[in-house]
Amino acid sequence: MTEPDLKQQLAERFREVNGDHPMSDADDAYTNAQFVTLEELCAAHGRDVDAVRRLMLGRRLPLPGYLRSDGAEMVPADLFALADEAGGVELLEAWFTAQWADPDTGKAEWNAYLSGQYVCLHAVTPAAIQRKEYLTAAISASENEPDAGSARWYGRLHALVDELDALEPAFTAYDRLRFGGPTSRDTCIDAIRTRFPRR
């Protein structure tokens, strides 16, 4: 299979997962600042780009986070870090899913990881995924706490929001298209800070 065929297959898989939404100049600029092209990353790590595309298509590594408007596959600079930590790509799935006590949850998170849609984290690790889930749930439930509105409650809430803020990048307009609405930053950081400003 020639390189253009693999690149085209990967683009088609990406659109199956994310939908076919346009990337604006602002979206491209955001991805250029936050991600690297697959070709650049492979060259820097001495990896064959076609072999990596095959791993993505074979559900061994996650899909790109974005396709730039010129078709470049944009990936996080630490794309290979988890596989290296696991002892190799062939061991990654078992290592990754074992980070959750419940096997079904681990499998579901593995599938989410493979989608490439964890663009909501600066570092896509099981620990960061679990922490984000905890923080978003805690922030969403905060208004139902018995002491909601108190000074102590405000302090706890903003500590949670600040921690989530440190985990998440800014997102871009393209993300709101593919996710069909607001991002977790919109709902759990920006909206909370607007509704409950620091005292």
Side-chain angles (χ1 to χ4, degrees):
M1 185 177 294
T2 63
E3 184 272 338
D5 291 332
L6 284 170
K7 187 170 184 178
Q8 180 179 348
Q9 283 194 30
L10 193 56
E12 290 171 356
R13 176 73 62 81
F14 178 90
R15 292 188 178 98
E16 286 174 6
V17 171
N18 294 282
D20 192 2
H21 306 292
M23 287 282 285
S24 68
D25 290 344
D27 294 329
D28 283 347
Y30 173 84
T31 60
N32 288 338
Q34 299 281 341
F35 295 81
V36 298
T37 69
L38 183 60
E39 288 89 346
E40 290 170 338
L41 187 66
C42 288
H45 287 263
R47 293 178 183 250
D48 178 76
V49 68
D50 281 351
V52 173
R53 287 180 178 127
R54 289 187 184 95
L55 289 170
M56 290 176 169
L57 290 166
R59 296 176 52 82
R60 308 292 294 281
L61 283 175
L63 295 175
Y66 299 88
L67 285 186
R68 209 167 55 190
S69 60
D70 63 359
E73 304 124 322
M74 305 302 290
V75 297
D78 62 353
L79 175 67
F80 304 125
L82 286 189
D84 291 343
E85 185 173 348
V89 172
E90 66 281 359
L91 300 175
L92 178 57
E93 180 178 0
W95 176 87
F96 187 99
T97 57
Q99 306 306 307
W100 281 266
D102 175 53
D104 290 337
T105 302
K107 185 65 174 178
E109 291 293 350
W110 171 250
N111 289 329
Y113 170 69
L114 289 177
S115 75
Q117 292 186 340
Y118 268 123
V119 296
C120 54
L121 293 168
H122 287 296
V124 184
T125 66
I129 292 168
Q130 291 167 11
R131 191 60 184 169
K132 183 204 167 185
E133 182 177 350
Y134 168 79
L135 290 168
T136 54
I139 291 166
S140 298
S142 62
E143 288 185 72
N144 297 321
E145 293 177 4
D147 63 342
S150 69
R152 180 171 294 184
W153 177 85
Y154 266 86
R156 288 198 313 271
L157 176 62
H158 280 282
L160 294 170
V161 171
D162 289 348
E163 186 179 351
L164 183 61
D165 189 9
L167 287 178
E168 292 197 341
F171 294 97
T172 190
Y174 171 83
D175 293 316
R176 294 169 181 89
L177 294 176
R178 69 163 152 186
F179 296 139
T183 66
S184 53
R185 172 168 287 280
D186 297 329
T187 58
C188 291
I189 299 174
D190 297 339
I192 294 296
R193 285 175 171 166
T194 298
R195 292 177 60 204
F196 306 107
R198 293 181 191 277
R199 288 182 168 179

